[in-house]
Amino acid sequence: MDKKKIVILGSTGSIGTQALEVVATRPELFEVKALTGWHNARLLVAQARQFLPQTVVVGDGSRYSEVAEQLKDLPIRVLAGEEALCEVAAAADVDLVLAAIVGFAGLRPVLAALEQGTAVALANKETLVVAGDLVMEAARRKNVPLIPVDSEHSAIFQCLQGEKGGVEKIVLTASGGPFFGRKTNFLVNVKRDHALQHPNWSMGEKITIDSATLMNKGLEMIEARWLFDLRPDQIEVVVHQQSVIHSVVQFVDGSLKAQMGLPDMKVPIQFALTYPDRVASAFPRFNFKDYPKLTFDRPDLKTFRNLVLATDALEKGGNSPCVLNAANEEAVHAFLRNKIGFLEMTEVIEEVMAEVPFLDHPTLEDYDASDRNARALAQKAIVRKSN
Ligand code: NAD
Ligand code: MG
């Protein structure tokens, strides 16, 4: 069998490094064509020396000379900047692009890959949140698969294998994050280091904060709406603290299919990389006897209002999810720098969503403008709050 030629966008992140661990265990299956990082030059260089891609992209141009210098003894092309991310995503002779950049920055490279007719394994959920209509339209037009990496969406994707429709609804499971059961009187004092302690998953900082505020589940509802072509009322969220049922599909005959396993992103990453094949792994196995009790709770929408804001954006459609996402990215960034408090993140998003004009059928340029507009308004709100 020919090796699958892959490009990993965001190889220095949590998903990216785990993807390379998967690749390292099955070198006979994959050939790494390109790796991209942002400012972790040291790790990017180490990855390039191990996997010997044709091209390496340093997103943050200020790290270019450092990376180029350290790779000059190898036949690796080193590029810098955002345009280069799109260039490697759209390179010919690539079978699969793993989109593991965080945030809006991942959108254009994903579109570039799809327009080239290359399959995409998608971890970068913000891409679908911002412009799900354009992304899905490109995938359909080019007839290329968009394979989910997010554990919940991989679960649903796996449950749907071999089915011909007949979906009544889906249930996205949520761990509840580190503050499950807490109320606003507690959350008002939460600081970044506490919010970064996730009970079940070790992930990048942005998604870890999103998990603590439940915004992550809100983004995932919007992600699911596009991936599986669902109406908002077909998407339910249930808190399942053990994170072993990764999500559930309920069919029109009342039958439920769930996908389970230990909380280990390498499983959905490997499935996305090897799809449509399922390949053996040595990842740790789930044992029912270690989990005598699985629990299911309603999300606390009074306390975790980000989930309500995301549901509003999902129902409204148009540029609302794009605005929600931009305001959230800015709010999370400010919280991580101790500029605003935990609950103030929600206030920023709510204010920005009320201010940015609604657009029903945005173009890519409209999404860009809404993103910029929302970020500018969010930054103003953040400055006001941090003074
Ligand atoms: P991370 O912060 O650990 O890694 C992000 C990667 O993107 C890094 O390689 C970084 O260098 C690169 N990057 C950051 N900003 C960039 C920019 N402006 N331009 C180009 N590259 C940039 O994040 P992560 O946790 O690996 O998450 C990546 C994506 O996968 C996110 O969209 C997240 O929601 C999603 N996801 C992650 C997990 C997880 O377990 N970590 C699970 C499900 C979904
Ligand atoms: Mg998830």
Side-chain angles (χ1 to χ4, degrees):
M1 205 172 68
D2 281 348
K3 289 186 182 185
K4 205 178 256 190
K5 301 187 189 82
I6 62 171
V7 167
I8 303 185
L9 305 173
S11 64
T12 55
S14 163
I15 293 289
T17 50
Q18 293 182 84
L20 284 174
E21 282 178 48
V22 169
V23 169
T25 60
R26 302 301 299 253
E28 73 284 11
L29 296 181
F30 306 104
E31 180 185 338
V32 178
K33 300 283 275 187
L35 295 174
T36 87
W38 186 245
H39 48 225
N40 191 342
R42 202 168 45 90
L43 180 56
L44 190 58
V45 166
Q47 292 179 337
R49 300 196 78 86
Q50 183 180 354
F51 292 93
L52 300 173
Q54 282 173 356
T55 312
V56 160
V57 181
V58 203
D60 175 357
S62 70
R63 306 292 164 107
Y64 170 78
S65 46
E66 187 182 345
V67 174
E69 173 66 25
Q70 290 179 47
L71 293 176
K72 70 174 186 223
D73 58 320
L74 295 171
I76 297 177
R77 206 162 59 115
V78 182
L79 305 175
E82 271 183 71
E83 279 307 308
L85 294 173
C86 292
E87 186 187 323
V88 293
D93 199 25
V94 169
D95 299 312
L96 181 72
V97 171
L98 172 63
I101 289 174
V102 59
F104 183 91
L107 172 61
R108 280 183 192 269
V110 166
L111 285 172
L114 294 172
E115 289 296 346
Q116 171 65 27
T118 305
V120 171
L122 188 79
N124 176 219
K125 65 189 82 185
E126 294 90 348
T127 280
L128 283 176
V129 172
V130 170
D133 53 346
L134 303 184
V135 173
M136 296 311 292
E137 191 273 325
R140 256 192 307 271
R141 184 163 33 82
K142 294 290 175 170
N143 195 24
V144 283
L146 191 61
I147 309 149
V149 171
D150 211 349
S151 59
E152 297 76 3
H153 306 73
S154 175
I156 291 160
F157 187 68
Q158 292 182 55
C159 290
L160 292 175
Q161 297 300 308
E163 299 286 346
K164 299 192 193 80
V167 175
E168 194 163 81
K169 69 170 189 183
I170 64 165
V171 182
L172 295 177
T173 51
S175 70
F179 305 130
F180 174 75
R182 299 293 194 175
K183 299 292 173 200
T184 49
N185 61 353
F186 177 88
L187 295 176
V188 72
N189 295 316
V190 158
K191 293 284 179 281
R192 78 185 286 278
D193 292 342
H194 192 180
L196 283 172
Q197 307 293 320
H198 195 278
N200 303 341
W201 303 94
S202 158
M203 310 178 283
E205 288 191 341
K206 194 255 176 184
I207 184 176
T208 304
I209 300 303
D210 284 344
S211 300
T213 64
L214 293 203
M215 180 55 91
N216 184 49
K217 215 45 58 178
L219 300 178
E220 290 184 354
M221 290 173 77
I222 301 169
E223 183 185 13
R225 177 252 177 280
W226 291 114
L227 277 172
F228 307 113
D229 195 19
L230 300 167
R231 295 185 312 271
D233 64 294
Q234 290 176 294
I235 306 170
E236 184 180 332
V237 170
V238 168
V239 176
H240 164 52
Q241 284 191 271
Q242 298 75 28
S243 295
V244 300
I245 294 182
H246 297 312
S247 277
V248 182
V249 179
Q250 179 173 312
F251 293 91
V252 286
D253 58 355
S255 174
L256 298 170
K257 269 187 178 178
Q259 187 266 343
M260 299 179 65
L262 290 173
D264 178 354
M265 282 309 295
K266 288 210 263 310
V267 178
I269 289 170
Q270 175 172 303
F271 186 72
L273 292 181
T274 62
Y275 175 82
D277 297 327
R278 208 183 262 284
V279 170
S281 86
F283 310 143
R285 292 327 196 221
F286 176 77
N287 184 342
F288 276 91
K289 296 177 197 79
D290 296 334
Y291 290 84
K293 201 162 150 195
L294 297 183
T295 60
F296 303 95
D297 294 276
R298 255 178 243 282
D300 176 355
L301 298 179
K302 269 180 98 162
T303 308
F304 295 92
R305 288 181 44 245
N306 277 3
L307 192 51
V308 179
L309 296 179
T311 307
D312 287 350
L314 166 69
E315 285 169 355
K316 255 178 112 178
N319 65 340
S320 297
C322 169
V323 171
L324 171 95
N325 177 71
N328 181 57
E329 285 192 31
E330 293 299 323
V332 170
H333 187 63
F335 174 73
L336 283 169
R337 287 175 306 143
N338 299 312
K339 298 268 186 220
I340 57 172
F342 190 83
L343 296 173
E344 285 177 322
M345 286 190 276
T346 308
E347 295 169 16
V348 169
I349 300 162
E350 193 163 29
E351 279 177 37
V352 172
M353 284 181 75
E355 282 178 76
V356 177
F358 178 72
L359 297 173
D360 210 357
H361 293 290
T363 61
L364 185 56
E365 291 66 38
D366 292 333
Y367 282 127
D368 250 333
S370 295
D371 177 80
R372 278 196 309 268
N373 192 359
R375 281 175 200 270
L377 291 167
Q379 281 160 12
K380 273 194 201 153
I382 288 162
V383 169
R384 221 185 312 119
K385 286 177 193 300
S386 58
N387 284 334

